[in-house]
Amino acid sequence: MRVLLTTWGSRGDVEPLAALAVALRELGAEARVCAPPDKEFATLLERVGVPLVPLGPTVHSVVANPNPPTAQDAFQLAPALVTARFDTLTAAAEGCHALLATGLMPAGARDVAEKLGIRYVLACFHLLGLPSRHFPPGRRPGTPSPQEETDNRVLWEQDAQRVNALYGEALNSHRAAIGLPPVDNVRDHVLTGQPWLAADPTLCPSQGRTDLDVVQTGAWILPDDRPLPDELEAFLDTGTPPVYVGFGSMAAYAPKDIARVAIEASRAQGRRVLLARGWAGLAPIDDADDCFVVGEVNQQALFRRVAAVVHHGGAGTTTTAARAGAPQVVVPQIADQPYWAARVAELGIGVAHEGSAPTVESLSAALTTALTPETQARARAVAGTIRADGATVAAKLLLDAASQEFRS
């Protein structure tokens, strides 16, 4: 059995596919991944022996600029990604029995699968983009909804119109070129009526939250047995557990001066600091020995040895910290990050920072709560509920679905 997995997004979109690919391989299937050609992603996939088929531009070239991408950028990127999917996935999916897509609105993936006559699955890592009568849609480039509109059903209809404006013309043009009829609702076409949710049920309960028939598999966690670097081990061993601070791929979105704020706030709590450089390029503010900078490391091992994790609220970081039993301070910036911040607070395993630009005082206050024995105990208790078998669950489901499609 051969399966194609595809995404266009940050590491939080690529690493779960690597986990799923490994799980598929362990079940005897062959999996390949179509993803952005960022060096970081290529290295990640090479480490686990999964082939990477480059798709579209690098994510770093789009997001790692002084200013966040604009609406104009989005209207240029969307059709370009549609074209890239038709071109790249058509060749990559040849001989495959299923195609699973995730990441930034993967318009074009279902259409390639339809043309090839193979099973298509849409997977997501949160509920933000799934239509629901219970909450409004997230922000999306295009004509905004009127401020006075409060009916969630109307707001989701307007969200579908924005998706059509971004992707519709390019998608239907490519469909026509391969003999497929047009679609009138790109978002619902991409999502299908039964998307898969690759998120832990404790952190992201789905029952009754969306109007779609969601299949929740659990988070797709890639096992990581890499040792920590010797220099980092030495830093961890020479004092009390530090506060970890990282903002992942939030290059243009990371709070201004966040390294200084985080270092001073941690010092105010009597804590050492571990800065994750990331795409935001976090760096020390002085040469004091209570601060250490790391690049890409085994977070699964590292988070078990820190006092708290201060981060942006990506699905992957939130899940890794929760599974490690580390108290969290989430400083959300965009997209699904406010949701994860809220869940961390609701579960009592950390703090949702109010506002996206912390001060020394506000971050220090958040750390005061996160570092209490009560929060620490709650974080350890919840850690025991986070499942690690989501990728295996999904792999079995995918192979079963592909087999049924093949037999029919």
Side-chain angles (χ1 to χ4, degrees):
M1 188 74 69
R2 182 178 295 171
V3 177
L4 180 64
L5 313 175
T6 184
T7 188
W8 196 90
S10 67
R11 185 184 180 113
D13 298 295
V14 177
E15 186 164 328
L17 288 193
L20 180 56
V22 169
L24 285 164
R25 186 173 62 204
E26 290 174 348
L27 293 173
E30 177 186 341
R32 63 182 67 166
V33 173
C34 272
D38 294 74
K39 183 178 179 180
E40 175 184 342
F41 306 157
T43 300
L44 166 66
L45 290 165
E46 183 180 3
R47 173 162 61 86
V48 294
V50 175
L52 169 64
V53 179
L55 173 69
T58 64
V59 176
H60 194 274
S61 68
V62 175
V63 305
N65 298 307
N67 298 309
T70 64
Q72 182 179 359
D73 295 331
F75 276 91
Q76 293 175 346
L77 178 63
L81 287 177
V82 170
T83 298
R85 291 190 186 100
F86 273 89
D87 292 345
T88 304
L89 299 184
T90 298
E94 193 68 40
C96 289
H97 301 85
L99 193 164
L100 181 143
T102 187
L104 180 66
M105 187 57 65
R110 179 178 182 176
D111 316 276
V112 170
E114 181 181 350
K115 182 65 177 178
L116 295 176
I118 62 176
R119 183 60 185 263
Y120 165 78
V121 174
L122 184 284
C124 52
F125 306 118
H126 52 78
L127 298 169
L128 184 69
L130 304 184
S132 172
R133 71 194 73 178
H134 302 294
F135 54 84
R139 294 181 62 183
R140 201 186 297 274
T143 303
S145 297
Q147 289 187 349
E148 62 272 15
E149 183 58 73
T150 59
D151 187 327
N152 284 336
R153 290 171 298 181
V154 174
L155 293 172
W156 280 105
E157 290 172 0
Q158 294 168 347
D159 176 71
Q161 294 168 11
R162 285 189 284 273
V163 175
N164 281 346
L166 282 162
Y167 299 93
E169 182 178 354
L171 181 68
N172 283 324
S173 174
H174 283 283
R175 283 179 63 86
I178 58 175
L180 296 177
V183 298
D184 58 7
N185 186 321
V186 175
R187 184 197 66 200
D188 292 358
H189 171 75
V190 170
L191 295 179
T192 77
Q194 196 174 62
W196 291 10
L197 176 61
D200 186 82
T202 297
L203 296 176
C204 185
S206 62
Q207 189 168 9
R209 293 291 295 161
T210 172
D211 299 340
L212 303 181
D213 182 20
V214 170
V215 176
Q216 186 158 16
T217 65
W220 301 346
I221 299 171
L222 180 66
D224 195 343
D225 58 2
R226 292 174 297 163
L228 298 175
D230 292 343
E231 297 85 355
L232 175 56
E233 284 279 7
F235 177 78
L236 293 169
D237 288 341
T238 55
T240 57
V243 170
Y244 172 97
V245 181
F247 280 77
S249 60
M250 294 290 99
Y253 296 99
K256 183 180 180 182
D257 213 16
I258 184 59
R260 180 191 63 79
V261 169
I263 290 171
E264 293 185 6
S266 299
R267 287 172 173 170
Q269 295 294 320
R271 293 286 178 171
R272 302 186 301 158
V273 189
L274 191 59
L275 286 180
R277 187 177 298 108
W279 287 5
L282 303 189
I285 57 174
D286 54 38
D287 58 1
D289 61 6
D290 66 344
C291 183
F292 190 88
V293 180
V294 296
E296 202 281 308
V297 296
N298 181 349
Q299 290 185 336
Q300 295 173 24
L302 178 59
F303 285 0
R304 292 195 291 267
R305 301 179 62 181
V306 300
V309 177
V310 178
H311 64 102
H312 56 298
T317 308
T318 303
T319 302
T320 302
R323 186 165 172 250
Q328 306 179 49
V329 175
V330 185
V331 187
Q333 303 299 308
I334 60 170
D336 57 314
Q337 296 166 13
Y339 171 82
W340 296 110
R343 285 300 295 157
V344 164
E346 290 165 5
L347 288 167
I349 60 176
V351 180
H353 185 274
E354 186 174 350
S356 59
T359 64
V360 173
E361 293 73 22
S362 69
L363 189 55
S364 179
L367 282 169
T368 296
T369 300
L371 294 169
T372 61
E374 294 79 11
T375 304
Q376 293 172 333
R378 179 62 180 161
R380 288 194 295 269
V382 169
T385 71
I386 308 299
R387 297 180 56 172
D389 63 344
T392 299
V393 170
K396 291 177 179 178
L397 285 173
L398 188 57
L399 293 180
D400 183 58
S403 296
Q404 292 179 17
E405 191 92 6
F406 182 70
R407 287 196 298 268
S408 64

